[in-house]
Amino acid sequence: MSGEWTGAGLPPVAAARIAEVRSSGTWSSALSTGEFTALRAVGFEPVGQVMGSAVYHVGRSGRYWGYHDCLYAGARYTFGGGAAPLALSGQGAPSAGLVQVLDQARRSALERMTAECSVLGGDGVVAAQLTVAPFVAQPNCLEFKVIGTAVRAAGTVRAPQPFTCHLDGQGFAKLVSAGWVPVELLYGMSVGVRHDDYTTRAQARSWSNVEVTGWSELVQAVRADARAHLRAQSGRRGGDGVILSSGRLRIWDEPCIRSGNNDQKDHVAEATLLGTTVARFTTAREQPPRTLTVMPLDPERRRRTTRRTATDMR
């Protein structure tokens, strides 16, 4: 039966597992004792551990297909050729196709986890962990997996769509207590490519302490592009801001596909950001913290303090 699944809805094995959880009347989670009690303190109960996964064959991922094309017309020249441009995925470079397929794979995993949460009657998922790993013994295949704990709020008011967040139990409780709610777990990504032009090569091989301006430009631009990708998604479901969880930057070099020889190199930078978009659910002004009253232990000082307080009240 599993071979008949077309990718729509929950995989048959996942659907059977969730049905078993519902019929058992019990739940499981990876929450610590502190996380469990923190959730209950703000009116939430765990309903079960949920997950979603998707295995994607990332075809056309090699450099010969042009995902990492530097777009530098002067790459064939050893000297001169002018300054190399930045080929950013967020600005329509060929690497945009790679970012798009990786983004779709993550969305598939998140949607399946959210679907499991809905079947269990949950209002959202906390402590969601998103991982990407090579699929064993199969080149160009990656498994995208996200796992977390589905929770349900006390009362009859239900959210129109389950939330997802990376926050653990204590972090979620603090967020709710402050008048905010998580909305959606987001992943921002950017891939940038820059050819090692003549100036870059000269700076990298200099005997002096100098900045390699081309590489500085590359890492700054790819980080900014990843943030822009994350920010563009944050308002999709009414979020007011994003709480970042982690960020990663990978850099490597490749032979330039435009140069016609292996002497010319491109540097590729890949920036990824993981975070949760949040929204305010109350506009009530926070009360200033109360001052702490300290009662002296010495009896005579305590009597003087009591008399002074009584006098002030008159």
Side-chain angles (χ1 to χ4, degrees):
M1 180 180 291
S2 61
E4 301 173 0
W5 184 58
T6 61
L10 287 177
V13 174
R17 176 174 57 83
I18 294 300
E20 182 181 356
V21 172
R22 293 190 64 185
S23 63
S24 69
T26 61
W27 51 265
S28 62
S29 79
L31 298 174
S32 66
T33 304
E35 289 179 288
F36 174 68
T37 54
L39 286 171
R40 295 205 63 187
V42 291
F44 281 81
E45 296 274 356
V47 294
Q49 194 170 43
V50 290
M51 69 169 292
S53 65
V55 177
Y56 267 63
H57 174 257
V58 186
R60 300 179 57 182
S61 59
R63 67 184 184 90
Y64 296 105
W65 289 97
Y67 277 156
H68 296 161
D69 188 349
C70 67
L71 303 179
Y72 182 42
R76 62 183 181 274
Y77 301 111
T78 304
F79 301 98
L86 274 174
L88 285 176
S89 57
Q91 297 179 0
S95 55
L98 179 61
V99 171
Q100 183 178 10
V101 69
L102 296 179
D103 193 45
Q104 180 56 50
R106 294 185 185 96
R107 288 182 185 275
S108 296
L110 284 167
E111 287 171 0
R112 288 165 190 165
M113 182 186 70
T114 305
E116 289 193 3
C117 174
S118 296
V119 174
L120 289 176
D123 293 313
V125 180
V126 300
Q129 298 180 3
L130 178 64
T131 59
V132 182
F135 193 69
V136 179
Q138 185 60 46
N140 297 330
C141 280
L142 298 171
E143 181 191 14
F144 299 78
K145 181 180 70 176
V146 59
I147 185 169
T149 297
V151 296
R152 181 179 175 87
T156 58
V157 179
R158 305 265 76 86
Q161 186 175 351
F163 64 81
T164 53
C165 71
H166 72 273
L167 300 170
D168 61 12
Q170 289 97 333
F172 173 78
K174 290 178 181 178
L175 187 72
V176 172
S177 298
W180 294 78
V181 289
V183 179
E184 186 179 13
L185 184 68
L186 299 178
Y187 202 94
M189 182 178 182
S190 174
V191 176
V193 186
R194 191 182 190 280
H195 184 77
D196 292 353
D197 55 28
Y198 177 76
T199 300
T200 300
R201 295 195 303 272
Q203 291 172 339
R205 298 168 183 171
S206 173
W207 288 92
S208 304
N209 297 326
V210 297
E211 179 183 11
V212 184
T213 54
W215 293 345
S216 293
E217 182 185 19
L218 173 63
V219 296
Q220 291 173 14
V222 78
R223 285 192 178 107
D225 194 39
R227 285 183 177 273
H229 184 212
L230 193 73
R231 187 168 55 251
Q233 304 172 67
S234 62
R236 185 171 53 202
R237 289 175 52 189
D240 295 314
V242 179
I243 298 176
L244 289 179
S245 168
S246 60
R248 183 185 180 192
L249 179 67
R250 292 199 309 134
I251 302 173
W252 67 95
D253 63 28
E254 291 184 356
C256 179
I257 61 176
R258 287 177 172 258
S259 67
N261 61 71
N262 291 332
D263 292 335
Q264 301 284 338
K265 299 284 186 180
D266 294 335
H267 267 78
V268 184
E270 176 189 278
T272 54
L273 295 171
L274 180 67
T276 297
T277 181
V278 296
R280 183 185 291 274
F281 71 85
T282 177
T283 57
R285 296 183 59 184
E286 296 183 4
Q287 297 296 324
R290 297 180 179 179
T291 57
L292 179 64
T293 302
V294 178
M295 181 63 71
L297 296 179
D298 180 68
E300 182 60 30
R301 290 184 60 194
R302 187 160 60 245
R303 283 194 294 270
R304 290 199 302 268
T305 302
T306 303
R307 287 197 298 269
R308 187 163 55 248
T309 302
T311 303
D312 293 341
M313 292 178 64
R314 296 195 193 105

